Amino acid sequence: MKKSRYQTVKSSLSPAHPIHPANYFVEIIDRVKETILSIETEDKDPTPQRFPNSFLYQFLFPEYEDEDLGKSKSFGTGFVISPRGYVLTNQHIVAHAVNIRVRLANNEVRSARLVWSDPVRDLAVLKMNTFRPLKAVVLGSSNQARVGEWVIAIGNPLGLENTVTVGVISAKNRSLRTANHTYEDVIQTDAAINPGNSGGPLFNLYGEVIGMNAAIVRNSQSIGFAIAIDSIKPLISRFIR
């Protein structure tokens, strides 16, 4: 039976069709998903850092699972910044780590070690064991990003690996301070960010990283913060050359 023109058009615009407008994010996610890692650590100190009771929620701590002998497991997110196996994440994820493991998008699990950290800025670089060049993210420009621009957050909130959320840039150039961390250049976004998203990338619609997810506001559903990538680049340049 011959399809009507209406049926033909409707079929060509089905949600599964790659040119459907609602699938714009799919291509971007397919392009970047291999660069994002789940980080799991075995920690010697299971007690999270404490921050003053303030408007800002404690900076996103990974989930903790109690174990015997005073140790715990925690997890967070990271992303590959160099084909040589260097990974950028938040320092608080690995602050007390005895062992660090990373899980790739293909479910391979590899060991990693801390090679650099800046506790005040809450930044850390890991070096993972790799026998082949890895796909790395493209670092964009947070300075050129504009308020109202679409962004994509990908990470492991509450241990749910490869979770994707979308939103817009709500504001730029925020400054956040806690007892232990100082952020001078922060992007505010309404893309959902939850514990476990720590250290994950914030992408623009070119598939470029413009920030690293770092914090949320207590009891909010649409206020999250990412460290602007242009403030991070000079600190990690030796690892991405």
Side-chain angles (χ1 to χ4, degrees):
M1 181 176 178
K2 187 176 180 181
K3 289 184 178 181
S4 68
R5 181 179 178 185
Y6 171 78
Q7 289 174 319
T8 303
V9 172
K10 183 179 179 181
S11 175
S12 68
L13 294 180
S14 67
H17 198 282
I19 66 170
H20 190 277
N23 276 352
Y24 189 79
F25 297 112
V26 174
E27 182 182 348
I28 300 169
I29 294 161
D30 284 344
R31 195 163 70 242
V32 304
K33 62 185 179 182
E34 293 180 26
T35 67
I36 302 161
L37 310 172
S38 172
I39 300 174
E40 182 181 296
T41 70
E42 180 182 299
D43 302 331
K44 60 184 177 182
D45 180 2
T47 305
Q49 302 176 52
R50 299 297 181 187
F51 293 93
N53 184 18
S54 64
F55 178 64
L56 286 178
Y57 184 81
Q58 288 92 325
F59 273 64
L60 291 179
F61 285 99
E63 289 290 293
Y64 286 85
E65 298 177 1
D66 292 333
E67 290 189 331
D68 296 331
L69 304 177
K71 293 183 180 180
S72 68
K73 288 183 178 180
S74 62
F75 58 82
T77 307
F79 52 98
V80 180
I81 57 173
S82 165
R84 295 177 293 158
Y86 289 103
V87 176
L88 181 65
T89 189
N90 280 133
Q91 184 269 345
H92 71 251
I93 295 174
V94 296
H96 304 292
V98 176
N99 295 305
I100 304 172
R101 292 181 295 276
V102 295
R103 183 184 298 274
L104 282 67
N106 62 3
N107 286 323
E108 287 184 46
V109 177
R110 302 182 185 179
S111 61
R113 69 183 189 278
L114 178 67
V115 295
W116 175 84
S117 68
D118 186 331
V120 175
R121 294 184 176 90
D122 198 14
L123 303 173
V125 173
L126 310 179
K127 178 66 169 67
M128 58 182 290
N129 296 330
T130 180
F131 304 102
R132 67 179 190 279
L134 298 175
K135 184 174 182 178
V137 298
V138 176
L139 300 182
S141 173
S142 51
N143 290 337
Q144 293 181 9
R146 302 175 65 185
V147 173
E149 184 176 322
W150 282 102
V151 287
I152 305 169
I154 307 180
N156 307 297
L158 306 177
L160 301 172
E161 295 182 0
N162 303 314
T163 294
V164 176
T165 58
V166 299
V168 299
I169 295 175
S170 305
K172 292 180 58 180
N173 306 121
R174 300 291 199 199
S175 293
L176 306 177
R177 296 177 186 275
T178 69
N180 299 310
H181 300 292
T182 299
Y183 302 98
E184 299 295 345
D185 186 7
V186 175
I187 297 170
Q188 181 182 329
T189 178
D190 67 352
I193 296 174
N194 293 285
N197 273 118
S198 297
L202 188 71
F203 290 100
N204 62 18
L205 291 194
Y206 294 105
E208 301 168 337
V209 174
I210 60 170
M212 182 171 68
N213 302 322
I216 57 176
V217 172
R218 187 188 301 273
N219 298 327
S220 79
Q221 295 183 358
S222 59
I223 302 179
F225 299 100
I227 307 169
I229 199 66
D230 283 339
S231 68
I232 300 176
K233 285 179 185 177
L235 304 173
I236 62 170
S237 59
R238 64 187 136 161
F239 302 110
I240 57 180
R241 290 172 183 164

